[in-house]
Amino acid sequence: MEIRVRFAPSPTGPLHIGGARSALFNYLWARKNKGTFIVRSEDTDLERSSRESEHNILQALRWLDIQWNEGIEVGGEHGPYRQTDRLELYKDYQERLLADGHAYYCYCSEEELEQERQSLIAKGETPRYLGKCRNLSTEQREAFELEGRKPVIRFRVPEGQAIHISDKVRGDVVFDSNGIGDYVIVKSDGIPTYNFAVVVDDITMSITHVIRGEEHLSNTPRQVLIYQALGSPVPEFAHISLILNTEGGKMSKRDGDTAVIDYQQKGYLPEAIVNFIALLGWAPTGEEEFYTLDELAKEFSLDRVSKSPAVFDRHKLDYINSHYIKAASPERLAELAMPHLEELGILPSDQRSVEQQQWLVSFIKAIAEKISYLAEVKDYIHYFHGDTPLEPQSDALEVLKGEQVPSVLAMFKEKLQGAEILSAETVKVILKQMTKELKLGGKFVYMPVRIALTGQMHGPELYDIIPLLGLKNVLGRIGYTEEHYLG
């Protein structure tokens, strides 16, 4: 049997982390089993769905290198792959259910349904539809239609049935059909509801495994009943756990970034996001933390997906991303850093020379060990760019009061101006010479120079800062410090 899985987002917004994980698990399961991964669009929410959102979701998947074998923009034998393009197909299946007595027309108004709901709640019962229109005569239907009522189509839920779902993550899950109530499968405007359309899509696309978020588990018995009514084999289900924030609540915008594009725009690397979300609720067999997509495809298995909720730990993501930053080429990182520097008006791409591009690569080399994502370049650019240091704070100001500081800075300027090339090696030699000639310990030379140049007592290596600042900016910063903070 060929494994066929699908990812079917609703195009009502960007691809969120939870959706990306579902897509990834489906993709990995297909690759592991040499199967087919399908991407389709559940766009029947006509008010909220948009082609722009659909495009953004597909772009995010491609950015993560989650490629699909069949579906939107790829094609295949089981299309079309948008639900709004499949309405005639759904009609065929709804007619089958109506003809076989598994579905019926319901003319209840919203007011009547709400009264029934409130009555059940008052009795302490689960709100559900009690079947008022289950056995309408032709005359009753015609009377309702003369009133102008537009019917929905409801599925006739069998009574007293235990619905067993053998879930590859959660084990055997049992639902009582009596607690479900007859549910709507086609709305009054003719648009199918999720629980009906998704089953027809999965049947007609020969889906063998449905791997999705735990929030869909409550929909599963309704879907299983439709499979059974249509005489179609039921796919295997795997409901993966929720993703929680570090406080144990469901992730939301209040926790910060929840969409893949948020992390892309901040300068996270796609391979780091993939590595991180793969470990949200799935445990590899070994102790390894870092996996390429190819390695994940070989290692992945549904039996190691946890029932317990996964925790989205931003610190863990930053740790993983910093690992991939250190492994990436400075040239690639420089490209990713450009938008963040352009926000500050530094090195705009339409004006950048070859020398400036080389400067940018050297800058990235100097800070790659210190950043967790590329937007953080903005926190380090002040060390390397411009002729004015940051304003020193209390401890740094105390250092500048040292009696040796004027002579240290004077000698440093003199030696730099006498150097033929301003390189990291030149700077190292100059600073060592100064400690000998002034007969001072290293910190009495290095620290005043650092504070004069940056306004801070800590930061990147002076050997990296000085060549990238350039002689003009170095002299400008020392002059500024002498004028404002010495004597």
Side-chain angles (χ1 to χ4, degrees):
M1 178 185 69
E2 182 201 5
I3 299 293
R4 290 177 61 82
V5 296
R6 51 46 169 203
F7 176 58
S10 297
T12 56
L15 179 65
H16 287 88
I17 289 294
R21 183 187 59 165
S22 293
L24 177 63
F25 281 15
N26 277 282
Y27 168 80
L28 295 175
W29 185 242
R31 275 193 62 181
K32 174 77 178 269
N33 294 282
K34 297 182 173 57
T36 299
F37 174 48
I38 300 162
V39 172
R40 64 186 195 225
S41 178
E42 294 183 348
D43 62 343
T44 51
D45 185 341
L46 302 179
E47 288 187 8
R48 296 173 60 227
S49 296
S50 71
R51 287 294 175 88
E52 181 185 8
S53 289
E54 179 184 287
H55 175 73
N56 291 342
I57 290 169
L58 299 182
Q59 287 293 94
L61 290 174
R62 288 192 173 111
W63 180 70
L64 294 170
D65 202 20
I66 298 175
Q67 305 292 339
W68 53 104
N69 314 104
E70 186 181 316
I72 305 174
E73 297 185 358
V74 172
E77 297 176 5
H78 302 81
Y81 295 95
R82 293 185 185 93
Q83 287 185 336
T84 50
D85 295 333
R86 296 168 63 82
L87 298 180
E88 288 303 315
L89 180 64
Y90 302 133
K91 282 182 183 175
D92 292 342
Y93 279 83
Q94 78 187 39
E95 292 305 322
R96 279 176 58 181
L97 291 173
L98 286 165
D100 293 342
H102 292 299
Y104 59 91
Y105 290 101
C106 170
Y107 294 85
C108 292
S109 68
E110 289 295 327
E111 292 77 17
E112 290 167 338
L113 293 171
E114 182 58 24
Q115 284 176 6
E116 182 175 83
R117 182 175 177 276
Q118 293 301 330
S119 175
L120 287 168
I121 290 172
K123 295 176 187 175
E125 296 182 36
T126 303
R128 64 198 183 282
Y129 183 70
L130 296 178
K132 180 179 176 182
C133 294
R134 259 186 166 215
N135 300 299
L136 294 178
S137 65
T138 304
E139 291 77 15
Q140 287 172 312
R141 284 184 54 192
E142 288 173 351
F144 280 133
E145 286 174 10
L146 281 172
E147 289 180 27
R149 296 197 186 201
K150 290 188 175 180
V152 299
I153 299 175
R154 288 185 183 273
F155 184 83
R156 192 186 302 272
V157 176
E159 296 176 5
Q161 182 174 321
I163 306 164
H164 287 265
I165 295 156
S166 181
D167 193 285
K168 294 184 79 68
V169 174
R170 322 202 84 76
D172 192 36
V173 186
V174 184
F175 293 87
D176 181 357
S177 67
N178 290 345
I180 296 175
D182 295 350
Y183 50 94
V184 176
I185 60 171
V186 181
K187 293 180 282 188
S188 59
D189 59 3
I191 300 295
T193 62
Y194 166 74
N195 282 316
F196 177 52
V198 74
V199 170
V200 174
D201 291 344
D202 285 346
I203 289 172
T204 54
M205 294 182 193
S206 302
I207 299 301
T208 61
H209 293 75
V210 174
I211 304 168
R212 59 189 179 186
E214 181 187 354
E215 64 272 19
H216 289 290
L217 183 59
S218 60
N219 290 318
T220 308
R222 293 170 171 80
Q223 294 166 18
V224 167
L225 289 172
I226 296 174
Y227 282 108
Q228 292 171 345
L230 291 169
S232 297
V234 179
E236 293 198 58
F237 291 96
H239 287 93
I240 53 184
S241 63
L242 294 173
I243 300 175
L244 305 181
N245 59 27
T246 49
E247 282 74 47
K250 191 173 179 181
M251 270 187 76
S252 70
K253 271 291 182 188
R254 288 192 300 275
D255 302 308
D257 302 317
T258 58
V260 170
I261 194 170
D262 295 330
Y263 293 94
Q264 182 180 359
Q265 290 174 343
K266 275 190 165 64
Y268 285 82
L269 303 185
E271 58 267 40
I273 298 290
V274 164
N275 193 150
F276 175 71
I277 63 176
L279 299 175
L280 288 176
W282 170 76
T285 52
E287 298 298 316
E288 182 58 52
E289 291 181 287
F290 304 109
Y291 290 90
T292 65
L293 204 48
D294 289 342
E295 289 165 345
L296 286 169
K298 290 175 186 173
E299 183 81 13
F300 184 77
S301 64
L302 288 172
D303 59 5
R304 296 192 67 82
V305 175
S306 172
K307 295 179 190 178
S308 303
V311 175
F312 189 99
D313 184 344
R314 180 72 175 264
H315 297 298
K316 179 70 177 290
L317 172 58
D318 287 352
Y319 165 71
I320 289 175
N321 200 60
S322 64
H323 166 85
Y324 285 98
I325 283 177
K326 290 168 190 169
S329 74
E331 289 75 18
R332 179 190 175 199
L333 297 176
E335 285 294 319
L336 296 172
M338 283 180 192
H340 304 290
L341 295 180
E342 287 179 347
E343 281 179 29
L344 303 176
I346 295 170
L347 302 183
S349 54
D350 59 345
Q351 301 170 24
R352 195 159 39 244
S353 65
V354 173
E355 290 78 12
Q356 288 173 320
Q357 181 65 29
Q358 291 170 343
W359 183 95
L360 180 56
V361 170
S362 297
F363 164 61
I364 292 296
K365 285 180 180 177
I367 64 166
E369 294 277 335
K370 300 181 181 299
I371 59 175
S372 298
Y373 51 94
L374 271 300
E376 288 186 326
V377 297
K378 293 186 288 188
D379 298 333
Y380 287 89
I381 190 64
H382 66 86
Y383 288 105
F384 301 90
H385 189 272
D387 60 3
T388 307
L390 294 180
E391 184 178 341
Q393 299 304 308
S394 55
D395 289 349
L397 284 172
E398 282 301 312
V399 171
L400 292 179
K401 291 176 182 177
E403 61 181 4
Q404 88 288 6
V405 171
S407 55
V408 165
L409 297 183
M411 181 179 285
F412 186 60
K413 285 193 295 184
E414 180 186 338
K415 287 187 175 292
L416 281 182
Q417 289 170 302
E420 292 183 14
I421 300 172
L422 195 59
S423 66
E425 280 306 312
T426 305
V427 174
K428 286 180 186 178
V429 169
I430 287 173
L431 290 170
K432 283 184 180 177
Q433 286 175 346
M434 287 173 60
T435 59
K436 288 181 181 177
E437 292 176 27
L438 293 170
K439 296 182 173 57
L440 291 170
K443 76 172 185 176
F444 293 101
V445 172
Y446 287 65
M447 191 58 74
V449 170
R450 173 178 290 282
I451 294 168
L453 292 177
T454 70
Q456 296 180 296
M457 296 176 67
H458 306 285
E461 294 288 352
L462 282 173
Y463 317 129
D464 293 323
I465 292 173
I466 292 165
L468 286 170
L469 270 177
L471 183 60
K472 181 182 175 184
N473 283 337
V474 168
L475 295 176
R477 288 187 176 205
I478 292 174
Y480 182 91
T481 299
E482 289 174 326
E483 180 182 346
H484 289 81
Y485 302 110
L486 299 191

